[in-house]
């Protein structure tokens, strides 16, 4: 390639704010010599590094200049490529770059020259805009994406090509990392703002990240980051496997911290020796070996279905490493002195518990549980960290054994950590365990709090505390502590690579000292954090408050994955303050768990006793309708039906009698509030300017929504407050929905929290009366329109009641109401109770040659489906015969979806159908 082509290529791919073409000025010529200046005003941000492509009008020799380094030139020097010298690249905004150059020139005409000066202070990185579809205060999807990107920026070795890398300013580095016998030790993560690969904290970070993926896979999937997360943890795992060169030999560090910390530059440009340090039987390290084993074991569970061969390989190495750790005891930092000044281990017993507990979970081999309990030390924990696994051990062993010793230690630990305990707090609410990177410890413990809450321990209290610590990092105090995220984030993290200008400009300690932002945004990196008084200075030289590290982000990312909602987002998010993450809105594993726990509430044996309630409430509805009908005045039947269905759901689901139908001349406050909330919800979804909460709740509509919300929560709270401590169900006539909520236990023996119960109560109180009332009202309207269908229903009902010699519909009668069922289904087809549903795709879906990408919010219009002439002949006509046995046998299973479809279909559909049959039969029998 010619120099001209090369220079053109370099210039066209460079990005700059101050880039410009300037003429040589101040030319001075004498006796075949010349001297000139290329002066570039710096008006668009500080200049951190530069290159210049200089073009002379004639050949020159003996080039002399003082601010750059010539990298290439043509034979006659008419073209010169120059980059700044390490201490000559920085010019503050408002100043000027002056490239003074001289040499010899033998031409007869005056010499002219231009310089294409390229500003290398920036890069070409673009980060996708991530919409906040969850409607949460902080965009957890964006945070998860950027945190994973931070780990991508920390990668060492041969980087992946193409779309698998999102960090354009990073390149291949440390490709000669090897062990004593030439073992390949390339790969892994650089530890922090330096370029040492410390195996112990790297493994600890991997364990936490893998645990978060195991625990909250649905959050990563919902955020569109699942594949990136698999790649994220696989990168250090592959390196750790390389480090395990023999059953009892393990490399735990690459790089000498002394020379490494004496170098401020890119990892791609490193030239210093990078020795490797290993553990052996004579130089043991139980802590590091057991941590490697823990990381590999939890990751084997993560990859069990995705990559079974890799999973098995990890588990095999984990077993060997744990045997090595347990047989040859010692602290790794006693064996590797080069680590002692940076990551000195306090003890190794906690890692022996840690590794054994995970191995027991993966293998169910009792020897590992025995070892974990043998090495366990009881008492409250100082705080989870790269060196302290006691909190994680408590939670793991409590989950595995349910023993009080571990529960008590968890509670004692959080008594210390919560306000009023031994851990001090900043004025704005950060649990301040240590000056050096206080956010790390607080958010590690936030993750532990979420895990404890998920284990059934003080769920509401622990979760609220954890969210507050996470919120502190994300911006509750007025600025974010996460680089590239939120309001006023850090711009000058103590991080060598991101502080360097774009290549080929050199990097040096001058770049550490410059006061401007880092040229590259280290997206997603959590900095150390504030002082005890909440003050914080964004200073690159402050490695206590402003350094970043792999272990900082591990607990942070894990903690963010927990509070991220995994429901549908979109239009549903506006109902979160009302219904919470109940079955309607929740998603992922949280929804799946609740669905499993609540399904027994709708078993036929539970539904059967409700028939008496249906009859009784329908009888009162009939009386109310008769009273209004006798006045010969028009009246709104929907209001009366709403009171009936509300009465039914309160009595069947909560055993709560309000006599709400007796005041049938008035609209019940709860019904009125729900109707107004529904209208507001619908309006807000059509008005994007009302999406932000801080705008919506300042409008009159938002204030009315809040008032109605208070009415709804008061209405649902009474029965909940009465029965939350009630556990003796032996004398009950029947189990109601709330009984199921209060007594349900998952496979780990954990029940629903008070918040989860409240969410389900609110959800079922709304869905159990509103949609059913709508369906019944429209079916009555259609039957009034078509008296012949009404008459046929009445004949069927009269025949059944006459056969039974009873005036009440019995459980056995419900299935016999065949023609009424046809009328009900046709009514719900023509007048859909829920006109549309919405879903977010969690993976790419291909149909008809088109791809619907993961992460898209989609609406499925059931009303359109039910009125589609290609699906239904004469769709606007009410015709119950569409649902005859003969026609049903020919019908597509997805043609009629009044209760949605798939795994998220309506859990209460049998309850609703039975209710509609009994209420309508009771009315029509009159």
């Amino acid at each position: 390639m010619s120099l001209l082509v090369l220079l053109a290529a370099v210039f066209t791919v460079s990005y700059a704010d101050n880039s410009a073409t300037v003429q040589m000025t101040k030319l001075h010529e004498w006796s075949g010599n010349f001297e000139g200046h290329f002066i570039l005003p710096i008006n668009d941000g500080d200049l951190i590094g530069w290159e210049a492509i200089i073009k002379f009008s004639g050949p020159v020799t003996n080039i002399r200049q003082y601010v750059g380094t010539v990298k290439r030139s043509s034979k006659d020097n008419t073209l010169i490529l120059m980059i700044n010298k390490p201490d000559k690249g920085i010019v503050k905004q408002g100043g000027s770059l002056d490239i003074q150059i001289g040499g010899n020139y033998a031409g007869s005409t005056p010499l002219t020259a231009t310089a294409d000066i390229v500003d290398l202070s920036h890069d070409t990185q673009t980060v996708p805009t991530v919409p906040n579809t969850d409607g949460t205060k902080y965009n957890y999807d964006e945070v998860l994406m950027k945190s994973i990107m931070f780990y991508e920026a920390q990668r060492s070795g041969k980087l992946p090509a193409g779309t698998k890398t999102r960090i354009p300013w990073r390149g291949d580095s440390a490709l000669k990392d090897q062990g004593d016998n030439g073992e390949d030790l390339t790969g892994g993560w650089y530890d922090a703002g330096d370029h040492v690969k410390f195996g112990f904290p790297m493994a600890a970070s991997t364990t936490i990240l893998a645990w978060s993926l195991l625990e909250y896979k649905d959050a990563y999937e919902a955020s569109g980051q699942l594949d990136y997360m698999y790649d994220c943890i696989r990168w250090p795992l592959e390196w750790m496997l390389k480090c395990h060169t023999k059953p009892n030999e393990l490399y735990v560090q690459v790089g000498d911290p002394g020379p490494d910390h004496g170098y401020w530059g890119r990892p791609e440009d490193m030239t210093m020796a990078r020795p490797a340090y290993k553990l052996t039987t004579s130089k043991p390290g139980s802590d590091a070996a057991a941590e490697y084993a823990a990381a590999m074991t939890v990751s084997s569970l993560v990859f069990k279905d995705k990559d079974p061969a890799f999973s098995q390989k990890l588990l095999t190495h984990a077993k060997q490493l744990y045997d090595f750790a347990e047989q040859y005891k010692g602290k790794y930092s006693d064996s590797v002195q080069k680590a002692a000044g940076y990551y000195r281990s306090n003890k190794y017993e906690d890692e022996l518990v840690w590794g054994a507990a995970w191995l027991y979970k993966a293998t169910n081999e009792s020897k590992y549980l025995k070892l974990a309990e043998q090495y366990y030390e009881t008492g409250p924990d100082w705080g989870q960290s790269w060196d302290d696994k006691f909190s994680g051990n408590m939670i793991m062993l409590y989950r595995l054994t349910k023993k009080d010793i571990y529960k008590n230690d968890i509670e004692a630990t959080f008594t210390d950590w919560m306000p009023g305990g031994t851990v001090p707090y900043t004025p704005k609410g950060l649990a301040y365990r240590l000056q050096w990177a206080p956010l790390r410890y607080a958010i590690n413990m936030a993750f532990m709090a979420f895990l404890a809450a998920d284990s059934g321990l003080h769920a509401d209290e622990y979760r609220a505390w954890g969210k507050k610590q996470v919120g502190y990092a994300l911006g509750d105090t007025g600025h974010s502590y996460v680089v590239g995220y939120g309001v006023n984030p850090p711009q000058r993290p103590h991080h060598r690579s991101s502080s360097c200008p774009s290549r080929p400009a050199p990097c040096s300690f001058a770049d550490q000292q410059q006061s401007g932002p880092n040229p590259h945004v280290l997206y997603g990196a959590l900095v150390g954090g504030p002082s005890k008084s909440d003050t914080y200075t964004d200073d690159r030289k402050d490695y206590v408050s402003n350094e970043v590290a792999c272990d900082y982000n591990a607990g942070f990312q894990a903690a963010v994955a927990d509070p991220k909602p995994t429901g549908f987002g979109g239009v549903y998010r506006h109902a979160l303050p009302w219904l919470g993450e109940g079955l309607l809105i929740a998603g992922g594993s949280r929804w799946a768990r609740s669905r499993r726990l609540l399904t027994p509430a709708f078993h036929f044996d539970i539904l059967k006793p409700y028939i008496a309630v249906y009859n009784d409430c329908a009888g009162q509805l009939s009386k109310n309708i008769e009273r209004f009908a006798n006045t010969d005045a028009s009246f709104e039947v929907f209001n009366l039906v709403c009171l009936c269905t509300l009465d039914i759901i309160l009595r069947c689901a909560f055993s709560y009698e309000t006599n709400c139908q007796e005041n049938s001349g008035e609209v019940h406050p709860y019904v009125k509030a729900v109707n107004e909330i529904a209208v507001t919800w619908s309006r807000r979804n059509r008005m994007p300017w009302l999406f932000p909460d801080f705008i919506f709740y300042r409008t009159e509509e938002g204030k009315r929504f809040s008032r109605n919300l208070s009415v709804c929560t008061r209405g649902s709270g009474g029965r909940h407050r009465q029965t939350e401590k009630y556990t003796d169900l032996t004398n009950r006539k029947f189990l109601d929905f709330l009984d199921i909520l209060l007594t349900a236990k998952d496979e780990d023996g954990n029940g629903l929290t008070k918040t989860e119960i409240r969410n389900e109560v609110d959800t079922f109180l709304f869905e159990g009366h509103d949609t059913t009332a709508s369906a019944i009202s429209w079916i009555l309207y259609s039957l009034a329109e078509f008296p012949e269908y009404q008459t046929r229903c009445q004949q069927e009902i009269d025949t059944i009641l006459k056969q039974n010699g009873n005036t009440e519909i019995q459980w056995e009668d419900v299935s016999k109401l065949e023609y009424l069922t046809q009328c009900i289904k046709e009514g719900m087809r023509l007048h859909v109770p829920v006109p549309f549903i919405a879903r977010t795709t969690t993976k790419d879906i291909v149909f008809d040659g088109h791809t619907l990408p993961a992460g898209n919010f989609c609406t499925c219009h059931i009303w359109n489906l039910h009125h589609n002439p290609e699906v239904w002949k004469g769709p606007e006509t009410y015709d119950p015969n569409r649902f005859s046995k003969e026609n049903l046998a020919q019908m597509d299973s997805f043609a009629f979806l009044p209760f949605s479809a798939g795994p998220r279909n309506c859990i209460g559909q049998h309850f609703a159908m039975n209710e509609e049959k009994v209420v309508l039969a009771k009315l029509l029998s009159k």
Side-chain angles (χ1 to χ4, degrees):
M1 181 184 292
S2 69
L3 179 63
L4 182 60
V5 173
L6 175 65
L7 296 182
V10 169
F11 185 69
T12 56
V13 300
S14 297
Y15 170 90
D17 289 330
N18 288 294
S19 298
T21 299
V22 298
Q23 301 290 325
M24 184 170 64
T25 59
K26 301 182 180 180
L27 180 63
H28 177 55
E29 294 179 297
W30 73 100
S31 304
N33 296 284
F34 77 92
E35 182 179 277
H37 297 258
F38 298 100
I39 300 175
L40 175 69
I42 305 303
N43 297 320
D44 295 303
D46 294 350
L47 181 70
I48 308 300
W50 54 267
E51 69 177 356
I53 303 169
I54 299 175
K55 303 172 186 177
F56 288 104
S57 60
V60 294
T61 58
N62 299 324
I63 294 295
R64 299 181 299 274
Q65 55 80 34
Y66 310 102
V67 296
T69 300
V70 175
K71 302 298 290 185
R72 291 192 66 177
S73 62
S74 60
K75 290 184 178 180
D76 60 0
N77 287 328
T78 54
L79 280 175
I80 295 174
L81 172 63
M82 179 189 303
I83 61 173
N84 63 275
K85 290 183 176 180
D87 59 341
K88 301 296 183 182
I90 299 172
V91 181
K92 300 294 291 180
Q93 179 171 325
S96 294
L97 170 67
D98 185 353
I99 303 176
Q100 181 181 352
I101 191 167
N104 298 116
Y105 171 64
S108 57
T109 59
L111 181 68
T112 62
T114 60
D116 294 326
I117 302 176
V118 182
D119 185 344
L120 297 176
S121 306
H122 308 279
D123 58 52
T124 59
Q125 184 174 16
T126 57
V127 178
T129 300
V130 181
N132 185 1
T133 57
D134 295 329
T136 47
K137 180 178 181 180
Y138 297 111
N139 188 340
Y140 295 116
D141 289 341
E142 181 183 353
V143 178
L144 287 175
M145 177 190 75
K146 289 180 175 178
S147 181
I148 294 172
M149 289 176 65
F150 163 69
Y151 286 105
E152 293 171 11
Q154 295 300 99
R155 286 175 173 176
S156 177
K158 181 73 175 177
L159 299 186
T163 58
K164 284 189 172 291
T165 182
R166 297 182 284 185
I167 315 297
W169 45 273
R170 281 299 324 281
D172 299 341
S173 62
L175 297 180
K176 295 182 180 180
D177 284 356
Q178 61 182 19
D180 294 344
N181 299 309
E183 301 95 338
D184 177 15
L185 298 181
T186 59
W189 289 326
Y190 296 122
D191 175 62
D194 54 10
H195 306 126
V196 180
K197 293 188 289 196
F198 289 106
F200 184 34
M202 190 193 305
S205 301
T206 306
T207 306
I208 293 296
L209 288 168
W211 194 359
S212 81
L213 181 52
L214 186 67
E215 198 83 13
Y216 308 124
K217 178 182 174 182
D218 49 284
Y220 288 104
E221 189 170 27
S223 69
Q225 297 299 306
L226 182 59
D227 287 340
Y228 286 111
M229 185 56 181
Y230 279 123
D231 291 342
C232 175
I233 61 172
R234 188 160 188 155
W235 193 267
L237 288 168
E238 295 281 12
W239 180 77
M240 285 187 271
L241 289 170
K242 291 179 181 180
C243 290
H244 189 208
T245 48
K246 296 177 183 178
N248 293 334
E249 183 175 278
L250 178 67
Y251 282 93
V252 293
Q253 184 172 322
V254 178
D256 184 337
D260 182 275
H261 286 197
Y263 164 77
W264 194 276
R266 307 180 189 89
E268 294 83 0
D269 300 337
M270 290 187 297
T271 58
M272 80 283 283
R274 289 177 58 80
Y277 305 90
K278 65 184 178 184
L279 304 175
T280 63
T281 56
S282 60
K283 291 185 176 181
S286 302
D287 35 20
E291 186 64 65
Y292 276 51
M296 291 180 184
T297 304
V298 64
S299 298
S300 75
L301 295 170
V302 166
F303 283 98
K304 187 174 182 178
D305 295 325
K306 183 173 179 63
D307 190 338
F310 184 57
S311 171
Q312 187 56 50
K313 183 178 182 181
L314 289 169
L315 189 57
T316 299
H317 279 265
K319 290 179 178 180
Q320 292 179 0
L321 282 165
Y322 190 81
D323 288 344
F324 176 36
E326 210 265 330
Q327 186 174 356
Y328 299 95
K329 294 186 177 68
K331 292 189 293 185
Y332 95 105
S333 52
D334 291 341
S335 298
V336 180
Q337 290 296 317
K338 291 292 184 178
Y342 301 87
Y343 288 99
R344 181 183 294 277
S345 177
N346 183 45
K347 56 173 57 181
Y348 57 76
E349 287 81 2
D350 53 327
E351 279 80 27
L352 288 175
V353 178
W354 189 233
W358 280 112
L359 279 165
Y360 176 69
K361 182 173 177 64
T363 67
N364 205 32
E365 295 180 27
S366 59
K367 68 176 183 180
Y368 291 119
L369 180 58
K370 183 178 179 180
L371 285 166
E373 295 197 285
Q374 172 187 324
Y375 288 111
Y376 184 80
E377 298 178 11
T378 189
D381 183 26
W382 184 89
Q384 185 81 11
S385 73
W386 60 268
D387 186 39
D388 183 336
K389 313 304 177 331
F390 287 102
S391 291
N393 288 338
M394 298 169 189
I395 293 167
M396 281 293 296
L397 288 174
Y398 177 67
R399 288 182 168 190
L400 294 171
T401 70
K402 293 300 179 183
K403 291 182 179 179
D404 285 343
I405 182 176
Y406 309 119
K407 176 185 176 182
N408 294 339
D409 283 350
I410 294 170
E411 292 174 334
T413 295
F414 282 106
T415 296
D416 279 353
W417 272 86
M418 295 219 172
T422 62
V423 177
Y425 277 72
T426 68
K428 294 183 179 179
L430 179 67
Y432 203 85
R433 171 53 89 184
L434 200 66
Q435 179 185 5
W436 194 307
L439 283 170
R440 155 182 43 179
Y441 300 107
I443 296 184
N444 282 348
M445 291 307 293
F447 178 44
M448 295 297 112
F450 296 147
L451 294 170
D454 292 339
S455 304
L457 299 178
H458 307 282
D460 295 340
E461 181 185 5
Y462 287 0
R463 195 171 298 283
W465 179 83
K467 285 183 177 181
K468 186 171 184 179
Q469 300 306 302
V470 173
Y472 189 104
L474 293 176
D476 281 357
T477 64
H479 67 83
S480 163
Y481 288 92
V482 181
V483 179
Y485 173 80
V487 177
N488 191 25
Q491 295 181 302
R492 301 163 184 82
H494 182 88
H495 185 266
R496 287 162 173 76
S497 187
S498 67
S499 76
C500 296
S502 294
R503 287 174 285 174
C507 188
S508 69
F509 274 97
D511 296 286
Q512 185 214 49
Q513 298 295 314
Q514 68 93 5
S515 60
N518 286 15
H520 310 292
V521 180
L522 190 64
Y523 286 104
L526 178 74
V527 299
S531 70
K532 288 182 180 180
S533 59
D534 294 304
T535 59
Y536 166 75
T537 303
D538 186 12
D539 184 352
R540 190 179 302 107
K541 300 185 292 298
D542 184 357
Y543 49 80
V544 173
S545 297
N546 226 34
E547 189 164 17
V548 299
C550 290
D551 72 290
Y552 294 11
N553 263 73
F556 168 69
Q557 183 175 311
V560 166
D562 175 88
K564 176 194 155 37
T566 53
F568 296 132
V571 298
Y572 292 96
R573 72 182 180 88
H574 296 146
L576 271 171
W578 173 25
L579 304 178
E581 288 194 70
L583 278 183
L584 178 65
I585 297 178
S589 60
R590 190 169 298 171
W591 169 84
R593 175 176 179 265
S594 294
R595 180 86 180 202
R596 288 196 305 272
L597 292 177
L598 300 185
T599 296
F602 298 94
H603 188 274
F604 289 112
D605 290 338
I606 301 294
L607 297 179
K608 187 175 180 179
Y610 297 163
I611 293 294
V613 177
Y614 299 159
N615 276 286
D616 187 41
C617 293
Q620 182 63 48
L621 171 63
S622 179
K623 293 177 182 178
N624 290 338
I625 291 177
E626 286 179 8
R627 187 168 67 253
F628 278 97
N630 291 333
T631 65
D632 292 328
S634 62
F635 63 95
E636 175 57 73
V637 72
F638 177 71
N639 291 335
L640 300 180
V641 176
C642 271
L643 291 175
C644 177
T645 57
L646 178 62
D647 198 8
I648 288 172
I649 196 66
L650 287 171
R651 292 170 64 176
C652 292
F654 312 120
S655 298
Y656 191 45
E657 298 194 28
T658 62
N659 300 318
C660 60
Q661 292 195 79
E662 293 184 3
N663 297 318
S664 57
E666 303 174 6
V667 178
H668 191 276
Y670 177 82
V671 173
K672 182 176 183 292
V674 166
N675 290 339
E676 291 187 0
I677 283 177
V679 170
T680 301
W681 186 6
S682 176
R683 282 172 51 81
R684 189 182 183 190
N685 290 332
R686 299 194 304 271
M687 299 178 177
W689 56 91
L690 293 181
F691 283 12
D693 287 345
F694 72 91
I695 294 177
F696 172 70
Y697 286 107
R698 284 169 172 78
T699 66
E700 284 303 315
E701 195 151 23
K703 294 174 183 177
R704 184 166 60 251
F705 179 84
S706 295
R707 290 193 298 270
N708 286 324
L709 194 62
S710 297
V711 173
C712 289
T713 53
R714 285 199 305 270
S716 65
R719 166 68 175 144
H720 177 210
R721 287 190 294 271
Q722 288 177 17
T723 59
E724 62 183 4
K725 296 182 180 179
Y726 183 70
T727 57
D728 182 8
L729 306 178
T730 55
N731 296 321
R732 301 297 298 279
K733 293 180 180 179
F734 56 81
L735 293 181
D736 62 26
F737 174 64
L738 190 55
D739 293 329
I740 301 294
L741 292 179
L742 292 169
T743 58
K745 302 289 183 185
D746 62 19
E747 55 274 19
D748 294 324
N750 300 318
L752 294 166
T753 67
K754 291 180 182 179
T755 298
E756 289 170 333
I757 291 174
R758 184 54 166 275
N759 291 340
E760 301 303 347
V761 166
D762 288 331
T763 297
F764 277 84
L765 192 54
F766 161 60
E767 292 195 291
H769 97 276
D770 182 77
T771 54
T772 310
S774 172
I776 291 173
S777 299
W778 279 111
I779 293 164
L780 288 172
Y781 173 82
S782 295
L783 290 176
E785 272 195 308
F786 298 93
E788 65 272 25
Y789 300 145
Q790 181 181 158
T791 299
R792 186 169 173 182
C793 287
Q794 289 169 327
Q795 290 172 346
E796 179 183 64
I797 296 164
D798 290 344
T799 299
I800 292 172
L801 292 177
K802 184 177 181 180
Q803 289 173 348
N804 292 342
N806 202 321
T807 59
E808 304 289 314
I809 300 295
Q810 305 299 309
W811 173 257
E812 295 77 14
D813 300 334
V814 173
S815 60
K816 300 175 184 177
L817 295 168
E818 296 180 0
Y819 192 73
L820 178 60
T821 301
Q822 290 178 215
C823 292
I824 290 172
K825 289 183 176 180
E826 175 65 355
M828 290 193 292
R829 181 200 67 81
L830 187 61
H831 304 289
V832 188
V834 179
F836 72 92
I837 57 175
R839 299 288 186 267
T840 298
T841 55
T842 58
K843 60 183 178 181
D844 292 355
I845 299 174
V846 180
F847 58 94
D848 295 337
H850 302 281
T851 299
L852 184 64
N856 266 279
F857 183 76
C858 311
T859 56
C860 308
H861 287 264
I862 298 174
W863 192 95
N864 290 350
L865 169 67
H866 286 187
H867 290 75
N868 187 343
E870 295 184 11
V871 179
W872 302 94
K873 184 179 179 180
E876 302 304 325
T877 301
Y878 181 79
D879 181 6
N881 291 321
R882 301 180 199 273
F883 293 92
S884 66
K885 290 181 179 179
E886 297 75 19
N887 288 331
L888 279 174
Q890 305 298 320
M891 187 181 296
D892 188 285
S893 59
F894 288 97
F896 178 61
L897 302 177
F899 298 106
S900 186
R904 294 197 67 124
N905 64 356
C906 177
I907 193 174
Q909 58 184 286
H910 294 301
F911 178 96
M913 282 297 295
N914 291 343
E915 178 184 358
E916 290 173 24
K917 289 180 186 180
V918 174
V919 171
L920 287 166
K922 191 77 172 178
L923 293 176
L924 293 172
S925 69
K926 299 292 185 179

